[in-house]
Amino acid sequence: MINLEKEIRQQPAALAGVIDLNLPTIREIVKKAKEADVHGIYFAARGTSDHACIYAQYLFGIFAGLPCTLGTPSVFTKYGSHVNLKGMLVVGVSQSGKAEDGIAVLEAAKKDGAITVAVTNNTDSPMAQMADYHLFCACGHEASIAATKTFTTQSAILATLAAVWAENDALLDELRGVSAVAQTLLDTKYDDIMAFADKYQNMTGAVLLGRGVSYAIALEGALKMLETNKLKMKGYPISDFHHGPIAQLKAGDPVFVIAPKSKVDDDCAEICRKLLAVEADVIVVTDDASNAIEGTTPFVLPATGSEFTFVFMAAMFFQLTACCMTIVRGIDPDVAGVINKITITK
């Protein structure tokens, strides 16, 4: 079994422990932040970690009414400018904890007196050592170039931070249940995903669409597919896809629409109708078959309770699809040529 599949299959166990492992520290962070009258969150991340932050950005806005900013680290590292981060909770997210631009943001934040947090999978990393608080993915070494278990554990940690901040026990309980549903997905959907990958093995590219929290998975799913299979993939928010990008589609082009039962059902149905009108091949990734309108192809995954946790199932669907496509196409996803596991940007 290749490293990519091994690490995808390790996710239920990783997710089972990561919440309660970090919960005491998360409660302390929230307590200190509220005492300090923190008025917003500044995330510093790249790549997959950035997608976890986009997911968290939605949760903090929806459940806590807290504005979040996706940081621009090059402002610090390349332009040498100062951004006043006083009064912010500054969260650096990096699986390795070695990202130099993330470190620069945390350093600047500490000088401004901001509360700093690092989310990494390495307790000895520079980010973990320098931040006021460290939240640990604790998912074991990740050898595959494509991040899988580090993405889902980062997402679980950040979602738990949002749930505690919002005092939302229902969301916290739902997050605790994700591990068992993830195992169900692996046990019941692998053969279907392999058959799907076999059917689409000659695909040269595709578009992934999501709205709200699912937008983060449109980005992350596209990244998994392109970095493992060298396909031309692009993730978009449904709301933006209407405004120009839909013009790229030709008849037969595959489009994935991430459409769990949610507050944005109407938007998902509307874009599906538009896509069918241009004769796109529309695959609807959902937890409810009724969300796939006539003419689309539904791929129904186990339900987790809400759209806010279905993102984990959607992420694993694209991870497994990417993995299975490497198998049927005879690609070694751990030999990616120009891509490195740890990419240090400044």
Side-chain angles (χ1 to χ4, degrees), residues 8 11 13-14 26 38 83 90 104 172 200 214-215 238 344:
I8 290 170
Q11 287 174 110
I26 287 172
V38 163
V83 176
V90 179
L172 189 57
Y200 282 89
S214 294
Y215 168 50
I238 287 172
I344 305 299

Side-chain angles (χ1 to χ4, degrees), residues 31-326:
K31 178 176 179 290
K32 291 292 186 183
K34 289 186 175 182
E35 288 175 351
D37 196 27
V38 163
H39 57 265
I41 300 178
Y42 190 96
F43 289 112
R46 294 289 188 194
T48 286
S49 299
D50 204 38
H51 302 157
C53 294
I54 291 171
Y55 168 56
Q57 188 177 30
Y58 277 97
L59 294 186
F60 275 103
I62 292 165
F63 292 109
L66 198 67
C68 302
T69 299
L70 293 173
T72 48
S74 59
V75 169
F76 300 82
T77 59
K78 293 299 181 181
Y79 294 93
S81 297
H82 174 254
V83 176
N84 185 2
L85 297 172
K86 185 176 182 180
M88 303 284 283
L89 179 69
V90 179
V91 183
V93 186
S94 164
Q95 62 92 12
S96 69
K98 298 177 181 179
E100 291 188 17
D101 44 9
I103 292 169
V105 172
L106 291 176
E107 287 175 340
K110 289 179 77 73
K111 290 178 182 177
D112 288 339
I115 299 171
T116 57
V117 178
V119 181
T120 83
N121 194 38
N122 183 353
T123 57
D124 296 325
S125 65
M127 288 176 67
Q129 295 295 316
M130 73 176 302
D132 297 323
Y133 298 96
H134 180 231
L135 299 175
F136 184 33
C137 295
C139 57
H141 176 64
E142 189 175 65
S144 180
I145 290 171
T148 54
K149 60 184 180 175
T150 51
F151 171 74
T152 51
T153 51
Q154 284 174 353
S155 298
I157 288 169
L158 294 173
T160 301
L161 183 61
V164 171
W165 195 297
E167 300 178 13
N168 191 320
D169 291 337
L171 177 59
L172 189 57
D173 288 343
E174 197 173 294
L175 287 163
R176 284 195 172 106
V178 165
S179 170
V181 186
Q183 188 62 57
T184 298
L185 185 153
L186 291 170
D187 292 341
T188 64
K189 295 296 179 179
Y190 180 82
D191 289 345
D192 292 339
I193 293 172
M194 181 61 83
F196 178 84
D198 187 59
K199 178 182 176 182
Y200 282 89
Q201 65 175 287
N202 294 320
M203 177 175 68
T204 57
V207 168
L208 281 69
L209 304 178
R211 185 143 201 217
V213 291
S214 294
Y215 168 50
I217 307 307
L219 296 173
E220 176 60 14
L223 178 60
K224 292 290 93 78
M225 298 283 282
L226 71 86
E227 68 186 349
T228 55
N229 286 272
K230 301 179 175 63
L231 301 173
K232 294 181 179 179
M233 310 291 291
K234 177 74 172 176
Y236 294 92
I238 287 172
S239 52
D240 284 357
F241 200 67
H242 293 280
H243 300 287
I246 194 170
Q248 71 189 275
L249 294 180
K250 304 182 299 295
D253 284 352
V255 181
F256 296 85
V257 179
I258 306 166
K261 208 68 182 173
S262 71
K263 297 283 189 182
V264 297
D265 284 352
D266 55 342
D267 301 272
C268 294
E270 180 186 5
I271 195 65
C272 284
R273 285 189 288 268
K274 267 195 168 183
L275 294 168
L276 292 172
V278 299
E279 300 181 349
D281 179 7
V282 185
I283 303 103
V284 177
V285 181
T286 184
D287 55 4
D288 188 331
S290 68
N291 266 25
I293 68 172
E294 185 177 356
T296 65
T297 301
F299 205 109
V300 183
L301 303 176
T304 57
S306 78
E307 62 182 301
F308 304 111
T309 49
F310 180 76
V311 296
F312 293 90
M313 299 305 105
M316 289 182 65
F317 167 78
F318 287 110
Q319 292 169 4
L320 282 168
T321 299
C323 179
C324 289
M325 286 192 75
T326 67

